[in-house]
Amino acid sequence: MTWKASAAFGADHGLPIVAEVDVAVVGGGAAGVAAAETAARQGLSVLLVERYGFCGGNAVAGLSGTICGLYAASDRNRNQPEQLVFGFADRFLQAMRSCDGVTAPVRYGKTWTVTHDPLRWRETADAFLEEPGVRVLYHCLVVGTVIEGEDVLGIVVESKAGRGAVSARIVIDASGDADVIHRAGLDFTIGQDGTVQNPTMIFRLGNVDVDRFLGYWGPDTICSPEVTEMLIAAHAAGEYHLPRAKIWIFTTPRKGELLVNATRLVGRDGRDLYPGSPEDLTEAEFVGRRQVRDYARFLRDHIPGCEESFVNDTGVQAGIRQSRSVAGAETLTNEDVLAHRKRPDGVVRSPWPIELHVGDKPKLEWLIEDYYEVPYAALLPRRGENLIVAGRCLSAEHEALASARVTAQCFGYGHAAGLAAAAALRSKRRLRDVPGAEIRDLLNADGARLD
Ligand SMILES: Cc1cc2nc3c(=O)[nH]c(=O)nc-3n(C[C@H](O)[C@H](O)[C@H](O)COP(=O)(O)OP(=O)(O)OC[C@H]3O[C@@H](n4cnc5c(N)ncnc54)[C@H](O)[C@@H]3O)c2cc1C
């Protein structure tokens, strides 16, 4: 890290300046990588700050494991997935495909998804950032903002080298948790009256006889009613602790391996866990690791092909579906999703169902043969300039977010935010003064195929 003094910025704040850039991207999840790569391809100087030593966020550290949101749901077309989402999401998908980093599409109820290899994801993201010259700081946590009035001027980072400031003309909050919004004292919401979807500790099972497993489980990655009944009975008999009875299991690009999305994490005292609290996050890790062992034992004991399996790995962290959402200039509503609303200022398309993880059986509400669009203004904070969010912390009502949060759409928010940053800086406009329809045109010109 080069420590550099600056008279214009930082002196007042008493912090050494570690970088002066056009765009600072906070977080290297799906949204952050897309935003940083896009902004850099537009010729901007870009810094991406990520607390871990790799990109991927909940898709990799949280081991969420599949790229959902690419394909249409259908009641009739059960053999041929129809891809509806392109742009950055498709470019990343193709790059992963070229290194055998994703499976072919697998069935997910009425739609499809692809499972990815989290190591290949890390390498692919590194290459995407390196190629256009994004400067990356891994192992750095963003702990504050530099703000004057409502103008965000930069961010404060903490690392092994100490604390420093980054001067940025635009900050993209791709932290998933709206950390920048929070640290800047701007407005955010939390789920449904403060309650968010359950975290899940995802795990991988090794040494599985995958053919035998598939022969029993069938082509749908969502478990059958028969398996749900078995889970309920085993839980009720007290043999295992299995608080979620509708579970998802995916084959992966690796031989003999399954990815298991099964656990439901609440506190040992039964409380819902809030990911903004370190106590609750710690509780999620304790509870998650124990629950993983119970689900793995259940699978070994009851599911053909899993008899000799072992827990290969869990997520680096408990997977967090939802925490803070920015209070946006506009909010994606539940009705927008259910009505499949399209709009001229729509910048991201989503065919993904409402997939709400609460209680013992996640609720699924399908969007059949259709999609809705997310408006640009759902990425803009109601207050605060030079700042835009990308990813699952967009402004959305609770159930709408349970659809809009998945990976292909997070790639799309990053793509839109990167182009918006370039358009605003080029024309010296505030981000909120760039019309959403203009961003849509830029996205179309950049391969998003929204029209
Ligand atoms: C259990 C679970 C299962 C899921 N299953 C699927 C699925 O099968 N398919 C699918 O498509 N989606 C799934 N999702 C959703 C999907 O994984 C996420 O919504 C998506 O990855 C979010 O991307 P993001 O970039 O918005 O945020 P995140 O992935 O949360 O990325 C945020 C990044 O910012 C970094 N960061 C955060 N705060 C700071 C800070 N202060 N300083 C520096 N860095 C910071 C984090 O380390 C992280 O890398 C699942 C999610 C969970 C939790």
Side-chain angles (χ1 to χ4, degrees):
M1 188 185 292
T2 313
W3 295 82
K4 185 174 156 206
S6 163
F9 175 89
D12 295 349
H13 309 285
L15 290 172
I17 303 298
V18 294
E20 290 175 274
V21 289
D22 293 324
V23 176
V25 178
V26 179
V33 171
E37 195 261 2
T38 303
R41 266 196 300 112
Q42 296 294 308
L44 303 178
S45 59
V46 181
L47 175 78
L48 181 141
V49 183
E50 166 55 50
R51 69 177 148 159
Y52 292 135
F54 54 87
C55 285
N58 270 285
V60 171
L63 213 56
S64 82
T66 88
I67 303 177
C68 293
L70 290 165
Y71 303 106
S74 175
D75 274 328
R76 54 188 170 82
N77 183 4
R78 297 187 75 80
N79 297 317
Q80 191 55 46
E82 182 195 356
Q83 187 172 337
L84 292 183
V85 173
F86 295 91
F88 184 93
D90 189 53
R91 289 179 48 229
F92 199 86
L93 174 70
Q94 299 310 334
M96 290 285 282
R97 206 165 261 162
S98 69
C99 60
D100 296 325
V102 284
T103 60
V106 289
R107 282 217 67 89
Y108 190 114
K110 295 173 190 280
T111 186
W112 304 79
T113 188
V114 294
T115 318
H116 65 80
D117 175 336
L119 288 181
R120 288 298 190 189
W121 182 300
R122 297 175 199 201
E123 295 157 15
T124 302
D126 284 347
F128 264 65
L129 296 172
E130 224 170 6
E131 213 274 323
V134 175
R135 183 174 164 199
V136 179
L137 286 180
Y138 285 143
H139 303 295
C140 274
L141 187 68
V142 173
V143 294
T145 54
V146 180
I147 186 163
E148 277 178 12
E150 301 233 316
D151 291 342
V152 174
L153 304 178
I155 50 174
V156 178
V157 299
E158 182 88 44
S159 72
K160 290 284 187 185
R163 187 167 282 205
V166 172
S167 161
R169 296 164 75 198
I170 285 183
V171 174
I172 300 181
D173 185 348
S175 64
D177 299 321
D179 274 19
V180 181
I181 298 288
H182 170 55
R183 298 280 188 164
L186 298 171
D187 307 321
F188 58 84
T189 58
I190 300 170
Q192 186 82 60
D193 305 322
T195 301
V196 296
Q197 294 181 69
N198 298 129
T200 286
M201 177 71 84
I202 296 201
F203 62 99
R204 295 189 289 173
L205 272 187
N207 201 34
V208 175
D209 182 336
V210 172
D211 290 339
R212 280 191 62 233
F213 168 79
L214 287 174
Y216 171 78
W217 195 265
D220 196 336
T221 54
I222 304 180
C223 73
S224 64
E226 180 194 342
V227 171
T228 290
E229 290 311 313
M230 285 161 62
L231 287 161
I232 291 170
H235 180 65
E239 298 167 51
Y240 317 80
H241 181 58
L242 309 170
R244 182 171 147 198
K246 188 168 171 182
I247 67 173
W248 285 218
I249 299 187
F250 306 90
T251 52
T252 83
R254 301 168 178 193
K255 282 199 172 69
E257 186 184 82
L258 298 176
L259 178 90
V260 186
N261 178 339
T263 62
R264 175 166 79 90
L265 309 184
V266 295
R268 279 166 284 190
D269 57 1
R271 73 183 189 278
D272 284 316
L273 300 175
Y274 171 55
S277 143
E279 284 82 12
D280 281 10
L281 274 179
T282 304
E283 183 76 356
E285 305 292 356
F286 272 88
V287 171
R289 281 192 275 277
R290 284 182 195 151
Q291 228 177 88
V292 161
R293 289 293 173 194
D294 272 23
Y295 275 97
R297 189 158 58 85
F298 171 86
L299 295 172
R300 262 199 312 271
D301 293 348
H302 297 281
I303 304 298
C306 297
E307 297 86 347
E308 303 294 324
S309 64
F310 62 92
V311 179
N312 202 356
D313 205 1
T314 67
V316 172
Q317 58 157 89
I320 303 302
R321 295 187 169 85
Q322 183 181 19
S323 53
R324 297 182 204 102
S325 301
V326 65
E330 189 167 343
T331 297
L332 180 76
T333 66
N334 300 339
E335 184 52 28
D336 288 338
V337 174
L338 294 170
H340 311 176
R341 184 171 173 205
K342 327 278 190 299
R343 33 192 312 155
D345 57 350
V347 292
V348 171
R349 174 187 276 197
S350 178
W352 194 249
I354 291 175
E355 183 202 321
L356 191 70
H357 287 257
V358 285
D360 63 343
K361 290 189 198 154
K363 170 183 155 187
L364 282 165
E365 193 136 356
W366 299 100
L367 277 66
I368 300 297
E369 314 270 357
D370 208 353
Y371 59 88
Y372 62 93
E373 292 177 343
V374 180
Y376 171 58
L379 306 181
L380 295 172
R382 196 182 293 157
R383 293 192 301 119
E385 304 303 334
N386 315 326
L387 178 60
I388 184 167
V389 310
R392 66 182 169 87
C393 52
L394 82 158
S395 187
E397 289 183 349
H398 188 53
E399 301 209 346
L401 187 66
S403 163
R405 68 186 169 82
V406 293
T407 307
Q409 282 59 48
C410 288
F411 281 139
Y413 307 130
H415 193 179
L419 290 175
L425 291 178
R426 255 195 309 264
S427 58
K428 297 192 169 50
R429 282 176 292 176
R430 297 187 307 169
L431 282 159
R432 68 181 75 254
D433 293 335
V434 182
E438 184 178 323
I439 307 299
R440 184 184 179 101
D441 289 344
L442 293 169
L443 283 159
N444 279 327
D446 204 31
R449 297 199 221 170
L450 295 169
D451 292 300

